């Protein structure tokens, strides 16, 4: 046999064609970015409308006098509010920046005393006076706040919060807090280890309760998922609120923050700041990054809103500033780990983060149900970063079912990032409905769902439905997926970091001391803009007395005063100017990023870093599938009832929470389910979901083998019908499935058997 070597010209032509294809794709990307940014900039150039001038000159003079007094008084009260905020900042720092929890708490485990010490701790929230007593059999809630520059407490910032929602339902609530200064040498893996100890302690304190619900807010989300991946036996349901897990994902023209690491050259600037801080990274730098996303709000709008409405806004402003103005530190190795593995490398979604001992953190190992809450209005954790990990980790929605996993996501259309945690309206609606659904999560068949919350009738209540979704829905929400620019960033970042570590870092660390580090921290603009207005500034000495006089003689001008209207117009113009600057900056940032790193990608710089395509579907050969299909005729009455409920839910494409309430009541109180453990019930639900998904026809035809007697068949079908509710409201597909089940079991239509579903469970359900 003769091997013919292809001529070298053909290989060169193939490589040239491949390169040209990449160049064309890059040109298309830049054109797409330019067109999107042009559409974004267009509305910003529209001028605001002018208010009419007063007709009477005397009235105008009177309005001017009223406005002058009002503006002067507001100015004094505004300065006094800033003075109070500055004093609060100093007091908060002197106290060690304790958590800003609205609720009293008791220390349970102090992570600083563990064999692998870290600055984290587990506290238990006390039940407020007059609240309902805690139920020891209800799931404990454990909330982990982000350590992203600020301190802990945002999840329990006010009465209407994640903590308040859980306490009002009788759940024990625990909070993972952290202290301002890290322990010497602590690492992210030490924190994960400590959080595992915290959950074991919670389980020990509540032996009668199911595994705790673990809530991760923002950056706390990846910490929770690392815990669930490394120690899946410790966590119950996991809730991720505004949590970024896929840092490369996003939508062109909307999510500029993901480009900053690339334009800064990678991870080395964070390491430089930590070296200048004598081995500690100042969290104020992260907060400054967040604030730079909206310069209008950071440098003008929130202060003007305080000035314009100083009589009513001062308490709210001071309350929020107490948390927003408390800055925490990280060790050099901690911030470098976070930037390299998450912000720049996006390694978690690809299962490439080392867990020590040769293992990696793989989100496929998470076996607890996962609930994801994201918002289209969130520019810090956009929907792509919150949801894309699902499509990165799992091949398709069928694989989620095969692995027995349940993932539910909830989308809000306009709330901002902080609103997810601090908004009372969000707490009373979304967080409340999530908490209600978590009580029934074990009755949800494995799969991928979207939680839809709609207004019910005219009674002010909410109707909740879990609607089945596909990976195509996730990809549509996530924006761009495969992008050679981001892997190129990871490669360039690693190169720049090596150069910095070798040539620059030793010099910087030689001259950095704790004194110079503390001086830099105190002069940071995030701190300075607060401290300069405190009582420590002698120029503020007269403000308290003047503020008291202004309050005593307060004479606010009416909102119809033309000078107030012109003031609002001026403020709107300033805000629009800031927004125009932001849009131009973000547009050029995005264009520059794609121009530089996209070009590097076309040259093959990131070729080795691109994630591989998922392997072909082989669900039918998976061990879980083979085992489930081999036991299709086993399980008797219990398996038949669960299988029929799964088949009906699949036919309908989802399930309302009212049906989940009935299903949960049946599966926890009716024999033979009541005699099962929670683990056994969940195992049966997973197994029957695999059977119904992989072999639906055989799943139906084998039902008579599970129910050999007419009495069992009638009883099983009656139980399923009781859970399903009125047949007329099931929809055509579900009605057809119910008719098919009746035919297969030879049950005439209209035949009903009373089943032992407990009386009174309807009170907990939302009527269909």
């Amino acid at each position: 046999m003769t091997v013919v070597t292809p001529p070298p010209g053909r290989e060169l032509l193939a490589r040239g064609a491949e390169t040209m294809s990449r160049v064309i794709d890059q040109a298309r990307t830049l054109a797409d970015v330019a067109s999107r940014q042009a559409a974004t900039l267009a509305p910003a150039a529209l001028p605001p409308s002018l208010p009419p001038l007063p007709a009477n000159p005397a009235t105008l003079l009177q309005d001017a006098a009223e406005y002058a007094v009002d503006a002067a008084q507001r100015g004094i009260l505004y300065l006094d509010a800033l003075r109070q905020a500055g004093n609060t900042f100093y007091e908060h720092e002197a106290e060690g920046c304790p958590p800003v929890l609205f609720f009293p708490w008791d220390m349970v485990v102090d992570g600083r005393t563990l064999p692998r010490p870290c600055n984290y701790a587990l506290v238990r929230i006390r039940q407020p006076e007059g609240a309902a007593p805690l139920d020891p059999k209800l799931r404990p809630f454990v909330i982990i706040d982000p350590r992203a520059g600020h301190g802990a407490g945002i999840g329990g910032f006010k009465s209407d919060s994640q903590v308040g929602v859980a306490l009002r339902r009788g759940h024990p609530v625990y909070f993972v807090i952290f202290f301002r200064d890290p322990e010497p040498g602590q690492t992210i893996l030490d924190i994960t280890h400590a959080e595992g100890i915290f959950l074991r302690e919670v389980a020990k304190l509540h032996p009668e309760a199911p595994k705790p619900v673990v809530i991760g807010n923002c950056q706390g989300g990846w910490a929770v998922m690392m815990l669930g991946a490394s120690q899946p036996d410790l966590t119950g349901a996991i809730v991720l609120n505004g949590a970024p897990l896929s840092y490369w994902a996003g939508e062109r023209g909307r999510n500029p923050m993901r480009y900053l690491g690339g334009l800064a050259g990678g991870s080395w600037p964070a390491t430089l700041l930590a070296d200048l801080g004598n081995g500690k990274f100042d969290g104020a730098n992260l907060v400054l990054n967040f604030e730079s996303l909206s310069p209008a709000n950071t440098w003008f709008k929130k202060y003007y809103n305080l000035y314009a409405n100083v009589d009513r806004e001062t308490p709210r402003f001071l309350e929020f500033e107490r948390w927003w103005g408390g800055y925490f530190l990280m060790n050099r190795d901690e911030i470098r780990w976070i930037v390299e593995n998450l912000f720049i490398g996006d390694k978690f979604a690809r299962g490439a983060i080392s867990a020590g001992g040769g293992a990696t953190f793989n989100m496929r190992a998470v076996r607890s149900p996962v609930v994801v809450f994201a918002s289209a209005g969130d520019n810090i954790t956009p929907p792509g970063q919150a949801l894309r990990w699902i499509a990165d980790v799992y091949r398709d929605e069928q694989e989620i079912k095969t692995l027995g996993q349940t993932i539910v996501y909830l989308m809000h259309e306009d709330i901002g990032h902080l609103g997810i945690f601090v908004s009372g309206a969000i707490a009373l609606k979304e967080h409340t409905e999530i908490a209600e659904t978590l009580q029934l999560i074990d009755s949800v068949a494995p799969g991928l769902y979207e939680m839809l919350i709609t207004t019910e009738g005219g009674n002010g209540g909410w109707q909740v439905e879990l609607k089945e979704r596909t990976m195509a829905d996730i990809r549509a929400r996530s924006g761009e997926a495969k992008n050679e620019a981001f892997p190129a960033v990871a490669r360039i970042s690693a190169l720049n970091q090596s150069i910095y570590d070798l040539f620059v870092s030793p010099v910087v660390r030689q001259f950095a001391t704790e004194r110079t580090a503390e001086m830099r921290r105190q002069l940071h603009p995030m701190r300075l803009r607060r401290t300069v207005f405190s009582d420590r500034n002698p120029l503020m000495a007269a403000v308290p007395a003047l503020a008291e006089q202004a309050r005593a003689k307060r004479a606010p001008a009416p909102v119809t005063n033309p000078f107030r209207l012109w003031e609002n117009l001026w403020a709107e113009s300033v805000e629009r100017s800031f927004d125009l600057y932001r849009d131009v900056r973000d547009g050029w940032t995005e264009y520059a990023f794609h121009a530089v790193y996209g070009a590097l990608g076309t040259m093959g710089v990131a070729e080795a870093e691109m994630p591989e395509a998922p392997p072909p579907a082989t669900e039918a050969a998976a061990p879980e599938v083979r085992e489930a299909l081999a036991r299709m005729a086993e399980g008797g009455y219990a398996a038949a009832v669960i299988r029929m409920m799964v088949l009906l839910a699949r036919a309908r494409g989802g399930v309302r929470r009212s049906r989940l309430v009935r299903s949960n009541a049946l599966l926890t109180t009716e024999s033979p389910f009541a005699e099962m453990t929670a683990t056994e019930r969940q195992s049966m639900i997973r197994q029957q979901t695999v059977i119904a998904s992989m072999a639906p026809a055989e799943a139906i035809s084998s039902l008579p083998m599970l129910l050999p007697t007419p009495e069992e068949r009638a009883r099983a079908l009656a139980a399923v019908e009781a859970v399903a509710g009125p047949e007329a409201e099931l929809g055509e597909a579900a009605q057809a499935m119910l008719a098919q089940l009746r035919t297969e079991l030879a049950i005439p239509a209209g035949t009903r058997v009373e089943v032992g579903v407990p009386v009174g469970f309807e009170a907990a359900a939302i009527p269909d």
Side-chain angles (χ1 to χ4, degrees), residues 83 534-535 537-546:
R83 180 188 66 84
S534 71
D535 284 336
N537 183 350
L539 297 178
M540 299 293 290
V543 170
L546 292 173

Side-chain angles (χ1 to χ4, degrees), residues 226-438:
M226 284 174 57
L227 186 60
S230 60
Q231 303 178 69
D233 58 315
L234 295 181
T235 61
I238 290 173
V239 181
L240 308 175
N241 294 314
L245 289 172
S246 292
Y247 287 82
W248 291 353
E251 184 178 348
R252 289 176 188 164
R254 292 195 63 184
N255 309 134
M257 192 173 185
R258 60 199 179 118
Y259 304 125
L260 298 182
L263 294 180
S267 59
W268 72 268
T271 311
L272 170 62
L273 290 172
D275 287 340
L276 290 172
N278 197 31
K280 293 180 181 178
F281 179 83
D282 187 0
N285 295 306
L286 294 177
V287 182
L288 186 61
N289 262 352
F290 297 153
E291 291 204 338
S292 69
L293 289 175
S294 181
N297 184 71
T298 298
W299 302 109
F300 179 74
K301 185 178 178 180
K302 74 174 182 179
Y303 294 109
Y304 173 72
N305 185 53
L306 173 63
Y307 170 74
N309 307 284
V310 70
D311 299 298
R312 69 171 185 269
E313 279 294 309
T314 297
R316 187 206 60 81
F317 176 80
L318 294 176
E319 178 187 42
F320 183 75
E321 281 292 295
R322 184 168 176 264
W323 174 72
W324 193 250
Y327 306 117
F328 283 57
L329 307 180
M330 292 184 185
N331 283 336
R332 181 183 190 271
D333 290 343
E334 289 183 287
I335 188 62
R336 179 170 175 175
W337 187 99
I338 291 172
V339 173
E340 290 182 350
N341 287 289
L342 301 174
F343 295 168
I344 300 294
D346 193 35
K347 294 181 180 180
F348 198 5
R350 295 184 286 129
I353 294 181
S354 173
T360 59
F361 290 104
N362 189 341
M363 282 189 271
R364 291 169 62 91
V366 177
R367 285 293 180 262
S368 304
V370 179
V371 179
V372 182
F373 181 22
S375 173
D378 186 348
N379 63 347
I380 292 179
T381 303
Q385 295 187 6
L387 297 174
R388 179 69 200 188
W389 66 272
I390 302 172
D392 292 339
V393 172
Y394 301 99
R395 182 170 46 248
D396 53 30
E397 62 277 6
Q398 184 58 53
E399 185 178 34
I400 295 176
K401 295 179 181 179
T402 301
L403 294 174
Q405 180 58 289
T406 303
I407 300 176
V408 179
Y409 69 91
L410 170 64
M411 284 294 304
H412 196 284
E413 291 306 320
D414 51 37
I415 194 71
H417 185 71
L418 290 177
I420 292 176
F421 316 113
V422 304
S423 169
I426 295 297
L428 293 174
K429 182 182 177 183
E430 279 79 4
H431 290 310
T432 296
E433 299 307 328
I434 288 173
E436 291 286 347
T437 302
L438 287 173

Side-chain angles (χ1 to χ4, degrees), residues 99-101 105-111 114 118-125 141-147 150-156 162-163 173-179 190-200 202 212-217 220 223-224 227 328:
V100 292
L101 289 166
W105 49 270
D106 298 305
M107 180 70 71
V108 178
V109 180
D110 189 338
L114 297 176
C118 65
N119 65 333
Y120 278 61
L122 176 71
V123 302
R124 180 167 184 167
I125 305 298
F141 275 57
V142 180
I143 301 172
I144 301 179
D145 262 1
R147 185 165 162 242
H150 298 110
I154 198 66
Q162 297 164 6
V163 172
V173 180
Y174 294 82
F175 215 96
V176 176
I177 67 169
F178 38 87
F179 304 98
D190 292 335
I191 296 170
T192 302
H193 177 74
E195 289 170 344
I197 294 175
F198 297 163
L199 290 189
R200 289 190 184 90
V202 171
V213 171
V214 187
I215 299 175
N217 292 327
V224 169
L227 186 60
F328 283 57

